Amino acid sequence: MPDTLVQPSAGAGPTVTTVVALFTIRDDELQVLLVPAGPAGWALPGDVPRPAEGLTGAARRVLAEAAGADDVWLEQLYTFGDPARDPARREVAVAWYALVAVDRAPAVDLTAAAGTVARWWPVATLPSLVLDHRRIVEYAIQRLRNKLEYTTVGFQLLPARFTLGELQRVYEAILGRALDKRNFRRKVELLG
């Protein structure tokens, strides 16, 4: 008997979405951009990739539509696929995190192309988030903190010209604690 390809029935597979945690530093606090998600609370900007669109392209489109942000540092974070993450349907979220300097960050409470209002929230005081979006934000913060140890990723949150004091405040905002000035300067010198 010849092998035959079995096609799944329509709607049998999971929906794949792209979700982006966009961070900036405002008022010496690490903040994330959220969009309203109805009475359930707030959500990270996200969408289903279009038919001819790759995942990276979908993430960049989501940033442009929700935040008007296109000059951002972007990295894939993780794939969240717990069967119970969305009680209404089987959904897999490919999550990204992005960084934008405050001088290139969109204004607070801007009207997005889709007619929703995006808002910056300090990560220390997040509102109620839908699905597993709090977990995604927490994981993105953890990854960002880890990357500070061995990269210069924190520079992505600064304008083109900045002082060493401003750089230290960015690191402190991300880490959530004060840093010794001498030790910080030594570390920056080691990173080059």
Side-chain angles (χ1 to χ4, degrees), residues 1-185:
M1 184 163 128
D3 290 332
T4 58
L5 181 63
V6 177
Q7 296 293 328
S9 60
T15 300
V16 176
T17 61
T18 300
V19 179
V20 183
L22 176 61
F23 295 102
T24 196
I25 304 291
R26 298 175 90 84
D27 303 320
D28 290 332
E29 292 183 295
L30 182 63
Q31 297 192 10
V32 65
L33 191 74
L34 300 175
V35 295
W42 291 80
L44 293 168
D47 199 4
V48 176
R50 294 179 178 155
E53 186 175 56
L55 294 172
T56 305
R60 292 211 177 271
R61 177 179 52 80
V62 163
L63 285 170
E65 289 176 355
D70 56 6
D71 186 18
V72 300
W73 178 90
L74 178 70
E75 182 174 288
Q76 189 171 342
L77 176 64
Y78 191 75
T79 301
F80 293 84
D82 185 326
R85 74 175 296 270
D86 186 342
R89 63 183 180 187
R90 179 72 168 107
E91 182 180 306
V92 174
V94 179
W96 301 77
Y97 68 119
L99 306 176
V100 64
V102 71
D103 65 331
R104 294 187 320 270
V108 177
D109 297 335
L110 62 103
T111 302
T116 60
V117 176
R119 178 171 171 209
W120 291 105
W121 287 88
V123 298
T125 58
L126 290 176
S128 176
L129 299 178
V130 300
L131 307 174
D132 56 357
H133 288 206
R134 182 173 300 275
R135 181 174 171 226
I136 294 170
V137 169
E138 290 168 355
Y139 191 71
I141 293 168
Q142 177 186 349
R143 173 80 67 84
L144 180 56
R145 286 175 177 165
N146 290 340
K147 283 187 88 74
L148 285 179
E149 294 297 321
Y150 61 92
T151 71
T152 57
V153 71
F155 288 63
Q156 301 298 321
L157 292 162
L158 290 160
R161 295 181 54 94
F162 57 89
T163 66
L164 201 50
E166 289 169 324
L167 178 61
Q168 181 170 342
R169 284 194 299 280
V170 163
Y171 272 67
E172 289 172 340
I174 294 169
L175 296 171
R177 61 182 163 82
L179 299 172
D180 178 74
K181 187 175 185 177
R182 290 178 307 247
N183 289 339
F184 177 76
R185 288 177 189 261

